[in-house]
Amino acid sequence: MVDVDERSRENRKDLIIGNWKMHHTHLDAIQVIQKLSYRLDLADYERVDVGVAPPFTALRSAQTVIEADRLPILLGAQDAHFAESGAFTGEISASMLAKLSVRFVIVGHSERREHFGEDDALVNKKVKAVLAAGMTPVVCVGETLEIRERDETSTWVAGQVTGAIRGIEDATNLVFAYEPIWAIGTGRTPSTADAADVIDVIRETLGPQGSHVRMLYGGSVNAGNVADFMAKNTIDGALVGGASLDPDSFASIVRYWI
Ligand code: PGA
């Protein structure tokens, strides 16, 4: 049980996002969103901004159910191309996503960095494209186990943050997710103190804007550990992978104080 009233997060509302990765067809997506909505009530949405990021193929169906049922669930995408349009076979532009009422886009997830060769410069271009299309970039940063063991996590993460925001004057419309790579899908997590320390590094890297930006922790978050992370003032929410696929599990994560 977390005493949420003791936390002082200024005007940073809690934000809990489900990253479905390459899971759920558009038919599954409709069911999952509906079931999730049955388990949450208005008081939950008042306390927490709730987001889901389905695969591209499910976005239109997700949008339809969210709008038809007037659900206060934020729709997100897992990636976007940096160009407005063009000869980029297989890619999806930020403005195409915005047209589907997508509100946020995950950018620079470690799986994109690892399997699709995304570097800080590309992440930076994507962040700018997402902002230009009027959506919120959810920028993922985090270290490998090797970097952590070398005690270079802070420098590494600060470098990723600096790279992501290059040329962006106002970073207050961004969200950052600190996701240690060794904690993603492994069941392992850093201590809440370690997670909070790295998030404070992100805040410091952003300078005076840092205290206005929402910061999430991600990596093996589940219904059993989310409250511990949320008990840290500097952690405003969670980016949840595996445990967000099932609506019961995700609803218990959203209602972390119960
Ligand atoms: P996980 O994934 O919760 O399954 O560890 C988190 C993420 O990759 O965003």
Side-chain angles (χ1 to χ4, degrees):
M1 180 85 183
V2 185
D3 189 350
V4 283
D5 297 330
E6 280 193 5
R7 300 177 326 178
S8 59
R9 288 192 184 138
E10 300 171 36
N11 45 12
R12 305 191 316 257
K13 188 178 172 186
D14 291 353
L15 171 62
I16 297 187
I17 292 176
N19 169 17
W20 292 359
K21 309 192 181 186
M22 198 169 70
H23 296 284
H24 290 332
T25 65
H26 71 291
L27 298 172
D28 300 332
I30 294 170
Q31 279 199 0
V32 170
I33 290 172
Q34 273 174 337
K35 283 187 186 157
L36 179 64
S37 74
Y38 301 149
R39 285 156 183 73
L40 299 177
D41 54 36
L42 280 181
D44 299 323
Y45 299 111
E46 266 162 34
R47 186 171 268 188
V48 183
D49 281 338
V50 182
V52 292
F56 290 130
T57 47
L59 285 175
R60 175 64 174 155
S61 301
Q63 177 204 16
T64 305
V65 68
I66 286 171
E67 286 179 0
D69 296 351
R70 294 172 198 264
L71 305 176
I73 294 176
L74 304 170
L75 185 58
Q78 300 173 17
D79 187 28
H81 194 269
F82 59 81
E84 175 71 31
S85 61
F88 298 104
T89 301
E91 293 293 312
I92 307 282
S93 76
S95 57
M96 291 171 179
L97 297 171
K99 275 272 184 239
L100 290 169
S101 308
V102 165
R103 306 281 297 279
F104 67 89
V105 180
I106 298 172
V107 180
H109 190 281
S110 63
E111 286 151 15
R112 302 250 14 124
R113 295 179 191 255
E114 185 187 340
H115 305 302
F116 303 95
E118 297 199 4
D119 59 11
D120 291 338
L122 182 57
V123 169
N124 178 244
K125 283 174 153 184
K126 292 186 173 195
V127 168
K128 287 175 177 160
V130 170
L131 285 172
M135 299 177 293
T136 302
V138 177
V139 182
C140 300
V141 295
E143 81 288 359
T144 60
L145 195 54
E146 214 188 327
I147 293 169
R148 173 154 289 265
E149 281 166 355
R150 285 206 306 265
D151 220 8
E152 290 170 2
T153 299
S154 300
T155 325
W156 176 262
V157 169
Q160 286 182 317
V161 172
T162 308
I165 61 164
R166 186 154 288 131
I168 294 167
E169 270 173 30
D170 182 3
T172 53
N173 291 326
L174 272 61
V175 169
F176 281 87
Y178 167 54
E179 299 205 307
I181 295 171
W182 50 273
I184 295 177
T186 59
R188 298 180 59 192
T189 57
S191 69
T192 56
D194 282 352
D197 283 348
V198 180
I199 286 180
D200 283 337
V201 167
I202 304 175
R203 293 196 189 285
E204 282 158 27
T205 308
L206 295 177
Q209 296 178 2
S211 61
H212 303 290
V213 176
R214 289 195 281 185
M215 308 266 169
L216 317 180
Y217 166 75
S220 296
V221 171
N222 58 43
N225 62 22
V226 62
D228 297 334
F229 288 103
M230 296 304 286
K232 292 284 180 191
N233 279 334
T234 197
I235 301 180
D236 304 314
L239 182 56
V240 188
S244 73
L245 295 175
D246 172 71
D248 287 318
S249 150
F250 190 51
S252 335
I253 293 172
V254 168
R255 311 177 82 189
Y256 64 89
W257 58 89
I258 290 169

